[in-house]
Amino acid sequence: MKTVKLDITKEHCPMTFVKTKLELEKLSKGDILEVILKEGEPLENVPKTVTEQGNKVIEIKNLHDDIHLVVIEKG
Amino acid sequence: MENKKKISIVLFSGDFDKAIAAFTIASGAAAVNYEVNLFFTFWGLNVIKKYKTRNAIGEGFLAKVFNFLMGGLKNLPLSRLNFAGASPKLMTNLMKKRNVATLKELIDASILLNVNFYACEMSINILGLKKDDFIPQVKEILGVAKFLNLAENGEVLFI
């Protein structure tokens, strides 16, 4: 099992979830992807779309200000 | 996989901004697991030509002149306020500055996410082109009947 970090705080739609999807494709089942993202569109859409695709969101926490961490387990 | 959501986009326009719209939807939809078909026709073919700048390709004199004038990915005009080709470059710079994906990034992402590229048989015929004149990601050259087949039971957009 490995853990990979992905920072998409500077990205905008559609690259927020495009990059997340591409990163997830590189991982194997059970691996962890930690995504750092901003409030608004990314925080609303990234957890939703990865769940729809059979992955699991383990944790969402606020790091500081409008920056959040979403921990995803690849399904 | 049978009931996978699907979107088929016809890109008729060869305008820079409209190509961005098409590839934004295509890559976004593919990222959320849609099956995505991009069908390039007429001016839209400029986006997927192998030569990215003006080139006199095609069979016959008129086709060569026409293809030269149409150009490729690197000289797509903005649909408004083009200013002789200056605007797409300014726009790309602005997009980079604002961290919005550029057209090239959107096309690359679409390719990585297995978006299906198809080219229109009829317009390719008019322009005297062949499959080899397009990027290798173009899966097939096809007509309306096959397109309707591919698009069946999905959303369709015409840009």
Side-chain angles (χ1 to χ4, degrees):
Chain A
M1 303 291 158
K2 64 176 177 183
T3 301
V4 177
K5 267 202 166 69
L6 176 68
D7 185 345
I8 53 165
T9 48
K10 288 198 165 68
E11 304 292 341
H12 298 275
C13 168
M15 278 299 163
T16 46
F17 49 98
V18 165
K19 291 210 165 161
T20 308
K21 160 98 173 174
L22 289 173
E23 204 59 46
L24 276 168
E25 276 183 358
K26 292 186 212 156
L27 300 178
S28 320
K29 192 176 160 66
D31 287 347
I32 302 293
L33 180 66
E34 298 185 345
V35 185
I36 301 164
L37 44 68
K38 271 190 169 168
E39 235 162 57
E41 189 270 338
L43 184 62
E44 277 165 36
N45 285 328
V46 169
K48 190 168 149 261
T49 56
V50 296
T51 312
E52 278 169 6
Q53 292 167 39
N55 306 290
K56 207 162 118 190
V57 175
I58 301 175
E59 190 188 359
I60 300 178
K61 73 173 176 197
N62 181 254
L63 294 180
H64 57 87
D65 306 317
D66 61 343
I67 307 294
H68 297 258
L69 173 77
V70 177
V71 183
I72 303 159
E73 186 188 318
K74 162 116 178 181
Chain B
M1 292 304 244
E2 212 24 63
N3 56 1
K4 202 171 173 182
K5 287 192 215 165
K6 180 159 70 176
I7 186 162
S8 303
I9 304 168
V10 180
L11 183 60
F12 173 83
S13 169
D15 289 335
F16 178 81
D17 36 2
K18 292 180 185 169
I20 287 178
F23 278 97
T24 302
I25 300 168
S27 59
V32 293
N33 257 14
Y34 270 60
E35 177 187 332
V36 185
N37 299 314
L38 270 175
F39 185 72
F40 298 88
T41 179
F42 216 73
W43 306 105
L45 291 172
N46 291 342
V47 180
I48 49 164
K49 279 182 184 164
K50 194 153 67 184
Y51 294 110
K52 312 239 180 287
T53 49
R54 293 190 193 284
N55 252 283
I57 50 171
E59 212 185 297
F61 177 73
L62 262 180
K64 284 191 167 59
V65 172
F66 216 70
N67 276 303
F68 181 82
L69 292 174
M70 283 172 85
L73 183 61
K74 291 234 167 100
N75 45 349
L76 302 178
L78 213 63
S79 64
R80 301 185 62 186
L81 311 172
N82 184 45
F83 299 121
S87 291
K89 292 187 180 75
L90 292 175
M91 186 69 81
T92 299
N93 282 338
L94 255 183
M95 290 165 87
K96 280 185 186 151
K97 207 164 142 190
R98 305 259 199 268
N99 269 303
V100 172
T102 59
L103 179 56
K104 189 183 175 303
E105 286 168 329
L106 291 167
I107 295 175
D108 290 346
S110 299
I111 291 169
L112 281 171
L113 292 166
N114 299 317
V115 167
N116 302 310
F117 289 35
Y118 298 103
C120 160
E121 195 264 338
M122 185 264 274
S123 42
I124 282 179
N125 195 19
I126 296 175
L127 297 168
L129 300 173
K130 47 190 187 309
K131 190 165 184 293
D132 205 37
D133 292 318
F134 298 96
I135 55 173
Q137 284 79 17
V138 174
K139 268 178 118 171
E140 216 180 307
I141 292 175
L142 43 84
V144 175
K146 186 78 189 285
F147 169 75
L148 290 173
N149 248 328
L150 287 165
E152 202 177 343
N153 300 323
E155 313 277 338
V156 179
L157 282 181
F158 185 93
I159 299 177

